[in-house]
Amino acid sequence: MYLVDSLPPRADRIFAEAEAGETVIQAPSTALAEVLYAVSRDGDVRGVTLTGTPEETRQALVGEGPISIAPVNDAELLEYAAMVDEFSIHDGMIVASDRAQETDAIITSDGVIQESEVETVWD
């Protein structure tokens, strides 16, 4: 949603704070890889076709943008192993990263994550 400037107010405020250097948004490398994959396939987000190359998107999000990469390491895999049956791979890695990095919340519209026992921000 960030790529098409279509975030709800609370999430948009957090991204604006990150753009201003006031807060940090971390994304697991696996989640960023999925975004780059979607861009490479001209995926749609809220009816807007993603354009640009995967490298341009990476640069906009990480190089010049508000997102820092939370690499998948043993701490994330340890958390993921404990919940592998609860989530899809994508959701599980996001929750595992949140727990391993001890972040404040996950910015997501994903209902499965919102219904779990983690703090989320969206609306």
Side-chain angles (χ1 to χ4, degrees), residues 74-87:
D74 193 46
E76 280 77 10
L77 292 176
L78 181 63
E79 291 288 344
Y80 180 72
M83 67 175 121
V84 70
D85 293 331
E86 298 176 46
F87 299 98

Side-chain angles (χ1 to χ4, degrees), residues 29 52 65 82 104 122:
S29 52
D104 293 332
W122 190 248

Side-chain angles (χ1 to χ4, degrees), residues 2-90:
Y2 176 76
L3 292 174
V4 296
D5 198 26
S6 182
L7 292 169
R10 285 181 65 206
D12 193 48
R13 179 179 43 80
I14 292 169
F15 271 84
E17 290 171 2
E19 289 168 343
E22 299 168 359
T23 195
V24 174
I25 297 175
Q26 294 181 328
S29 52
T30 53
L32 290 169
E34 287 181 342
V35 171
L36 301 182
Y37 180 86
V39 168
S40 76
R41 303 298 190 267
D42 288 329
D44 286 342
V45 174
R46 297 196 80 145
V48 176
T49 300
L50 299 176
T51 60
T53 67
E55 172 51 22
E56 290 168 338
T57 301
R58 186 207 62 78
Q59 186 64 24
L61 293 173
V62 179
E64 300 167 0
I67 299 190
S68 64
I69 298 172
V72 176
N73 59 37
D74 193 46
E76 280 77 10
L77 292 176
L78 181 63
E79 291 288 344
Y80 180 72
M83 67 175 121
V84 70
D85 293 331
E86 298 176 46
F87 299 98
S88 67
I89 293 172
H90 172 84

